[in-house]
Each structure stands twice: as C-alpha cells, then as structure tokens.
Amino acid sequence: MSKEKRVIPCLDLLLDEKGGRVVKGVEFEELKDAGDPVEFAKKYEAQGADALVFLDITASVQGRETLLDVIERAANEISIPFTIGGGISTMDHIQRMLDAGASKVSINTAGVKDPNFIAKAVEKFGSDKIVIAIDCKRNPDIKVPNVRIFEEGGQKFWYEVVIMGGNVGTGMDVVDWAQEVENFGVCEILLTSKDRDGTCDGYDLPATRAVAEAVSIPVIASGGVGTIDHMVEGILEGDADAVLAASVFHFNKYTVGDVKEELKKNGIPVCE
C-alpha cells in the first residue's frame, strides 16, 4: 500500500432561521443541530484534515439550491480543498459554487435523473471539479434482474442506489452506476450507506469494497463511523481511498490527528 489515504470530515448542512447549520442524524433522519459550519471547518483544518465535504442534505428534497453563503464564508476562512454537494442540478449552479470558492462540486440526485448532466458538467468544468455522490441501501428483493447479490448473516440482498436524500429507490445496482459515472470522467465517488448513516456501526464494507474494486477512480467511504477502527477497516477491508466521518469529529470523540496516527500504526500511509 503506497498511495496516501485521506481523512475527510463531513459537514451535513441544514437551512434554518440561523442560516446554514451543521446537523447529524441517523439514516438521514432525526437531525440534531451541532453548530456553525465555518467554525467546524476552521477546527478541522487546524487538526490536519486533508479536505472537507459540505453536504446540504435537504436541498434536493426541498427543491432549492445549496447554501451559497456558507461556501463563501468557508472559502474566506480555510485554505484546504472542499467539496460542496446537495441540490446541484444546473450548470449555472455549479458555476456559482466554484466561483464562491468550492474546490469541487458533488452531484447526486440530478445525475441519476439525467446522466447526461454529469457528462456535460465534466466537459465544461473538467474532471477534477466533479464528484459523484452515491447513496445506497440494502434491498432484500433478490428477484430483481441483473443485480449483484450479497449475503451476510444468512440474509441475501443487493445494493440499490437511492436519491432525494435517500428517500427514493432507483432500481439501479450501485456497482453498475459507479462504473457508469466513472466512464463520464468524474474525479471520485463519495459512497454513503443509508443503512449505516449515523449508526456508529461502521462502514458498509461489502458495498465499499464492491465499488472500490469495480472502478479505478478514488472512492470515499462514508456512513456509519463510530470508532477509529471503523476508519482503519474502511481502508484495509473496504479498499477505500479516503475515509469520511461526521459525528465522531463534531462531538469531539476523536480529532483528525488521532485518526491519522491510528492509520499509520496500521501501516496505512496518510497525507501529512
């Protein structure tokens, strides 16, 4: 293992009367206010984070654009790269996010609904600016044709791509979709298991490994971190190129430095 692995805090954003706030929930629901996103961003940069991800988690459901003011404030306060996602659905919207200071934009729901949107975004803005976020969920209906069947604990299932904040199934196999978006030329995939989100049970390793082995672009593991060991497993067992977490950082269970030290103890090279 020679490629340096990244540690990426994720800041889930919610629009309220205070503006954009960092929140955390379980399986994309039961959201709890954690604080101001820019203050978190500054803290994580100081801890040595390699990058940040801001996700406006209700933008697609509410049919609105991402919180532009948060991006502008973050760009003025931090120097590490950051990706913004949530409700990204037009070329003009991507342009505004990049102009506001985002390093990359993450496309999810809009790309599933119109894959050509991804291709056009890559063509206009370049591969290094476009990330595809994929949310997936275990589906026990194994009679669906042309899907990859997994088995765990005596239960058979496949991984379905879900959109609209994880509320709508697509009937698409997660590996098929990952390979399709790779062919569009995107720079990386942010893979989140809705089943594990906020549970502190660890990444869904079979899903992470299946996607990572099927594509050549970097895969960021997301959803379910409760311990440092989960992040070690995400790399060693899930074959992820980067590990993303939220709650364990937001509520000061670990620092980014703690995670990097543990990764190094397990023979995993990290960015310094």
Side-chain angles (χ1 to χ4, degrees), residues 196 198-203 223-231 233 244-249 253-254:
R196 296 299 182 96
T199 65
C200 298
D201 291 335
Y203 298 122
V225 168
T227 70
I228 288 182
D229 287 343
H230 291 153
M231 288 182 263
E233 292 167 356
L244 178 146
S247 297
V248 295
F249 293 137
K253 186 173 183 179
Y254 307 114

Side-chain angles (χ1 to χ4, degrees), residues 137-150:
K137 183 176 176 62
R138 294 186 178 193
N139 187 328
D141 182 6
I142 61 173
K143 295 182 180 179
V144 177
N146 302 317
V147 295
R148 291 162 181 80
I149 305 299
F150 295 78

Side-chain angles (χ1 to χ4, degrees), residues 2 5 28-30 89 91 98 103 107 169 216 247 251 263:
S2 58
K5 305 299 183 179
F28 300 173
E29 299 177 358
E30 301 176 15
S89 59
M91 295 296 169
L98 296 175
S103 310
I107 298 170
S216 58
S247 297
F251 303 116
L263 295 180

Side-chain angles (χ1 to χ4, degrees), residues 2 10 13 15-16 18 22 35 43-44 54 56 80 104 113 120 139 168-169 175 178 181 188 223 230 237 240:
S2 58
C10 179
L13 304 179
L15 179 65
D16 67 4
K18 301 175 185 176
V22 175
K43 178 177 77 171
Y44 296 143
F54 292 91
D56 189 342
I80 59 175
K104 306 173 186 177
K113 291 183 174 180
K120 289 180 178 179
N139 187 328
V168 178
V175 173
V181 299
E188 59 189 355
H230 291 153
E237 298 181 37

